[in-house]
Amino acid sequence: MNDALSTPDMPGMPDWEKRFRAPRVSLPDWAEDAPDRALFVSNATGTYELYAWDRATGGRRQVTDRPNGTTDGVLPPDGEAIWWFSDTDGDEFGIWMRQPFGGGEDVPAAPGLEPSYPAGLAIGRDGTAVIGRSTDEDGSTIHVVRAGAQPVEIYRHRESAGIGDLSRDGTLLAIEHTEHGDAMHSALRVLRLDGAVVAELDDTENGRVELGLEVLGFAPVDGDTRLLVGHQRRGRWEPMIWDVASGEQTDLATDLPGDVDAQWYPDGSALLIAHDFEARGELWRYDLASRGLTRIETPAGSVSGATARPDRTVEFLWSSAAQPPQVRSTGGGVVLDPPGMKAPSSVPVEDAWVEGPGGRIHALVQRPAGASGPLPTVFEIHGGPTWHDSDAFAAGPAAWVDHGYAVVRVNYRGSTGYGREWTDALRHRVGLIELEDIAAVREWAVSSGLADPAKLVLSGGSWGGYLTLLGLGTQPDDWALGLAAVPVADYVTAYHDEMETLKAMDRTLLGGTPEEVPERFEASSPLTYVDAVRAPVYISAGVNDPRCPIRQVENYVDRLAARGAVHEVYRYDAGHGSLVVEERIKQVRLEIAFAERHLSGGVA
């Protein structure tokens, strides 16, 4: 990456477009045994691609260059090569490729393995790779790939499973699996590379209890059999240490509210704690010998990634709703600053707490500076559903604010960061529960004087797009307009066409297949309510999307067209969203134009 690849600050370009076009970078990953070799993602050329960074020399180079972008890459411990996942136009189905760190030819990294959906990758110090795969035909499989040998399958199951981590000495593999049939709550298994089982940990009690586990990483010490694990035993995510050889479990209670994530410091003496609470993030250092917890100073806002370096400094990706992201270091300053145009700031976010049918709902509000209500208001609904909106920089909401709208983002039941019960509340009444929370916040937004009830826009992508279409049909009097990106529109057809891992999630959420619980799929499907939709609807969809496939979107659109409902559809040649900056800008521009055409009286 160099200045020639950066985006100039074009005179007359609106701020909202600059926020998309401004070069940005991800938190760099680094090779464990060659920490000066790093890998990051950037949009410097206008498409999100992988970049190699030699920190010793300062040299940076673009690794991948594909029409629809590349974001999945891994550095082996020695940093000699870069593994990157090659799919077709965003369909998420493909193979791992390998390229020398210094540049050179791309070659298949695991000859003999057919294309699949990825389910994790771990690479040992001797070059042995363990590759997780998922296909509709085989379910989940894990293969060991050694140089010069054919891949060897060591795991297979119809339900979802994936790779967690490989021990430092390369002898133990930790996997997360859902063989018990609950795709929301994983159990753990530790294997040797011949497939022999070493240890099991299952807080679900074979699917009878809704408690999940996750692999956070093996201790970074040769021969050390301690595995850092995330658990939900006290109603939220917290870390513990599980010695897979002795079975001993060491609790690491931090007494921090909200969800707590962790990773090892490189010498194994401490843990880097990432704490997420009420849409903000912060960092702590947990000393394993003293059990002392020390705050790592970060600005107010959100930390969306962090890593502890061998010199004990911590690098982290920080932003707030008002300030664009930066890769910072506790050693001081910005670590990786892309050249070229800088993203303009936006307005800060305000917190709103609203009493809802399932408890107190947290919403985040942005409004144009100095504006007083009632304002045309976009309810921008996050995807997931197991995700949450936070006080982090987002170019999409900022674009609406620039055009005179207030933006409300709701962390409905199903969102992460508010405890296990809040996240797990969706079962069986999928979609309808989230919309109850959105309706409660909508009522607050109108009654508080923030939102103009005649100019309310329901909008979102992925699960947010699904909730948009479902809301337009089940709450037709509440919304003036709907904007749905890559949505679930016809739940039954979506189930039959989507990737196998999402089928498993839907069976967990709804309690079975469409044939087993047809009434639940019908109640939760936007297609059921399409004839009740009165608001104009704008839908965008990727024709290669494996998560919200195009056929089920077309079924919904056909029903709108059959009764002459006001709607527009934009189809683009990518998968579940686009990695091309101009495509993202085009979609936002089309959505804003649609809103301004159809909202009564226009927008000031």
Side-chain angles (χ1 to χ4, degrees):
M1 188 170 67
N2 54 50
D3 289 338
L5 299 178
S6 63
T7 305
D9 191 347
M10 301 177 184
M13 182 189 295
D15 280 355
W16 76 267
E17 290 189 25
K18 291 179 183 179
R19 294 191 194 97
F20 282 96
R21 289 197 174 98
R24 61 181 62 187
V25 293
S26 68
L27 180 71
D29 190 16
W30 49 275
E32 293 177 10
D33 298 338
D36 282 338
R37 293 192 167 189
L39 183 68
F40 64 91
V41 176
S42 177
N43 66 336
T45 62
T47 302
Y48 284 86
E49 296 285 3
L50 293 167
Y51 288 78
W53 177 26
D54 187 331
R55 300 177 67 141
T57 66
R60 307 171 194 170
R61 70 172 188 87
Q62 186 174 342
V63 175
T64 55
D65 184 8
R66 302 193 303 152
N68 281 298
T70 316
T71 58
D72 292 340
V74 174
L75 273 177
D78 62 10
E80 290 296 317
I82 294 166
W83 288 52
W84 60 273
F85 192 76
S86 174
D87 65 353
T88 301
D89 295 329
D91 67 359
E92 302 181 44
F93 195 82
I95 63 172
W96 287 99
M97 302 292 288
R98 187 174 64 240
Q99 181 185 128
F101 183 84
E105 183 183 3
D106 290 307
V107 298
L113 284 183
E114 295 297 317
S116 69
Y117 298 111
L121 170 67
I123 305 172
R125 281 166 171 74
D126 64 353
T128 298
V130 187
I131 299 177
R133 305 170 66 252
S134 172
T135 66
D136 295 342
E137 296 76 23
D138 297 331
S140 301
T141 58
I142 295 176
H143 291 76
V144 174
V145 181
R146 293 183 169 88
Q150 285 295 305
V152 177
E153 182 181 299
I154 63 168
Y155 178 88
R156 175 182 291 259
H157 201 278
R158 284 302 310 170
E159 297 293 346
S160 300
I163 291 170
D165 195 26
L166 188 64
S167 64
R168 183 178 175 85
D169 61 12
T171 63
L172 300 175
L173 175 71
I175 69 170
E176 300 174 1
H177 72 84
T178 60
E179 294 176 4
H180 48 273
D182 181 351
M184 293 180 69
H185 303 95
S186 294
L188 305 185
R189 180 173 298 151
V190 178
L191 307 172
R192 299 197 186 280
L193 295 197
D194 61 1
V197 177
V198 173
E200 303 260 14
L201 193 60
D202 182 5
D203 279 5
T204 76
E205 297 181 8
N206 201 29
R208 294 188 297 273
V209 180
E210 295 178 356
L211 287 174
L213 297 165
E214 62 178 345
V215 174
L216 302 179
F218 275 105
V221 180
D222 281 334
D224 197 325
T225 56
R226 293 177 301 163
L227 181 65
L228 190 61
V229 169
H231 70 89
Q232 297 179 299
R233 295 172 183 175
R234 284 188 288 265
R236 60 198 177 101
W237 283 109
E238 297 176 279
M240 70 174 185
I241 292 176
W242 173 37
D243 190 323
V244 303
S246 69
E248 180 183 3
Q249 298 176 26
T250 304
D251 190 26
L252 301 173
T254 61
D255 295 326
L256 295 171
D259 285 340
V260 178
D261 195 6
Q263 60 180 272
W264 298 93
Y265 271 74
D267 63 1
S269 68
L271 302 177
L272 175 60
I273 299 290
H275 174 226
D276 188 271
F277 182 57
E278 295 183 349
R280 273 82 180 179
E282 59 184 13
L283 299 175
W284 299 75
R285 185 180 189 275
Y286 184 92
D287 185 84
L288 290 169
S290 68
R291 291 182 171 260
L293 195 62
T294 304
R295 174 77 179 268
I296 296 172
E297 291 302 320
T298 59
S302 291
V303 176
S304 55
T307 182
R309 295 279 293 167
D311 62 2
R312 292 199 171 192
T313 60
V314 173
E315 295 177 354
F316 57 94
L317 182 61
W318 171 89
S319 72
S320 70
Q323 296 298 322
Q326 291 182 324
V327 179
R328 298 188 175 191
S329 171
T330 56
V334 175
V335 175
L336 185 60
D337 189 18
M341 179 174 64
K342 305 304 179 186
S345 61
S346 185
V347 297
V349 72
E350 306 166 24
D351 295 280
W353 292 94
V354 178
E355 290 300 326
R360 210 163 62 125
I361 308 160
H362 190 195
L364 303 175
V365 180
Q366 288 175 279
R367 67 182 88 201
S372 59
L375 297 167
T377 300
V378 176
F379 274 67
E380 184 73 26
I381 309 304
H382 72 73
T386 50
W387 189 248
H388 68 274
D389 280 314
S390 60
D391 182 7
F393 197 74
W400 287 105
V401 172
D402 284 5
H403 284 81
Y405 294 78
V407 177
V408 178
R409 291 179 282 169
V410 182
N411 283 332
Y412 50 76
R413 278 172 287 173
S415 302
T416 53
Y418 300 89
R420 180 177 60 84
E421 289 187 6
W422 192 261
T423 302
D424 288 355
L426 300 188
R427 289 182 183 244
H428 301 171
R429 293 186 62 242
V430 174
L432 304 174
I433 284 176
E434 300 97 295
L435 286 169
E436 290 176 355
D437 293 346
I438 293 167
V441 177
R442 175 202 173 278
E443 183 177 345
W444 164 83
V446 172
S447 64
S448 69
L450 169 71
D452 182 342
K455 297 180 180 179
L456 288 174
V457 179
L458 188 57
S459 175
S462 191
W463 197 263
Y466 158 64
L467 293 177
T468 294
L469 296 184
L470 189 64
L472 295 178
T474 60
Q475 302 167 348
D477 297 328
D478 289 352
W479 307 104
L481 193 86
L483 307 168
V486 291
V488 174
D490 168 4
Y491 216 142
V492 173
T493 302
Y495 175 87
H496 289 302
D497 289 359
E498 68 194 2
M499 58 173 65
E500 186 61 36
T501 53
L502 294 183
K503 286 187 173 73
M505 178 60 76
D506 283 338
R507 291 193 298 270
T508 296
L509 287 171
L510 290 156
T513 68
E515 291 71 34
E516 293 166 339
V517 286
E519 71 287 352
R520 291 178 184 167
F521 275 83
E522 181 180 12
S524 293
S525 179
L527 189 65
T528 302
Y529 312 97
V530 64
D531 291 338
V533 173
R534 293 202 293 272
V537 187
Y538 175 89
I539 298 173
S540 59
V543 297
N544 304 314
D545 191 344
R547 298 174 180 268
C548 298
I550 191 68
R551 183 168 70 107
Q552 52 93 29
V553 173
E554 302 291 7
N555 291 347
Y556 186 90
V557 170
D558 288 346
R559 287 280 296 274
L560 287 175
R563 64 183 185 87
V566 178
H567 71 284
E568 291 182 17
V569 184
Y570 174 67
R571 303 167 183 86
Y572 56 96
D573 188 19
H576 198 60
S578 177
L579 299 176
V580 179
V581 171
E582 289 301 326
E583 177 62 38
R584 291 185 176 186
I585 292 171
K586 179 180 180 180
Q587 292 180 27
V588 173
R589 187 183 290 119
L590 288 170
E591 289 180 348
I592 291 172
F594 185 84
E596 295 188 345
R597 281 199 306 276
H598 291 285
L599 284 181
S600 175
V603 178

